[in-house]
Amino acid sequence: MAGTDLYDDIGTGYALGRRTDPRWMTAILDALGGARTIANVGAGTGSYEPDDRTVVALEPSTEMIRQRPPEVGPAVRAVAEALPLRDHAVDAALAVLTVHHWTDWRAGLAELRRIAPRRVVLAYDTSLHTEFWFVREYVPEIADLERTRPSAADIAGELGADSVTPLPLPWDFVDGVFPAYWRRPDAYLDPRVRRACSALAQTDPAAVDRGVRRLRADLDSGRWHDDHRDLLDLDQWDAGFRLVVSHT
């Protein structure tokens, strides 16, 4: 995922909040196609690693590696920009919600191209994240962080993507990515939920606390539900997540 220092600092308890959602897992498996050997770059706790193929997990953070359950296997400490694999070492390179944390994302994507003929990257449209109601109305400082990150379109362009597929968020999504609770705003009052979201963990705590207090007040008064009544009838919502696939 990110550099070692970042996730050694904010990654504690990450595995509790970031679980595999089977709907995204299905999309990722489809994108991997017939690949039998996979390098999972920025593997984290292994949430989206296939269990029926050979996976080489690569992750810089010892804290994230520590939280990997036994069934997904161990990980090798490595950064995306310098992968310890030979050219064309695997059938596919997988990178799930990690590119925006890399120190040099273009160098990391070049490494994906080097080690595998097929690249599957789950990224997101940063502009849509900045428009998320939690950012727009409660913690606008998050938008400053998002603007520094590569967007899905940037990543697709760099890889020369063959396809870019939207992955909407179902209302009952089980992986606690930042916008996952778009229809369940009470969840953001829980510090455990906030700790599993890197955008919140990397934003000024005072700004986050201020926004959470305002959200709690709006939930208590009913204002949030009045203002966002249109969301309550939706089964899914496009938060900007995109599955980028390129192959040679």
Side-chain angles (χ1 to χ4, degrees), residues 23-41:
R23 291 158 289 194
W24 272 16
M25 189 77 234
T26 296
I28 289 170
L29 290 174
D30 287 346
L32 288 170
R36 302 309 305 168
T37 57
I38 299 161
N40 187 15
V41 181

Side-chain angles (χ1 to χ4, degrees), residues 157-236:
E158 190 72 16
L159 285 176
D162 296 282
S163 64
V164 179
T165 304
L167 292 184
L169 284 175
W171 76 270
D172 57 350
F173 200 62
V174 300
D175 185 351
V177 294
F178 174 42
Y181 306 100
W182 57 271
R183 212 183 90 173
R184 297 169 286 169
D186 300 76
Y188 293 110
L189 305 181
D190 187 340
R192 294 170 298 180
V193 167
R194 299 197 300 273
R195 279 197 297 270
C197 302
S198 67
L200 290 171
Q202 290 181 265
T203 300
D204 179 6
V208 175
D209 288 346
R210 181 206 63 222
V212 169
R213 288 195 302 272
R214 186 178 300 163
L215 174 59
R216 180 179 287 108
D218 285 353
L219 289 171
D220 289 344
S221 70
R223 178 177 178 177
W224 186 93
H225 289 82
D226 288 341
D227 290 348
H228 298 284
R229 194 172 303 278
D230 58 320
L231 294 179
L232 302 179
D233 293 327
L234 299 180
D235 291 328
Q236 61 181 20

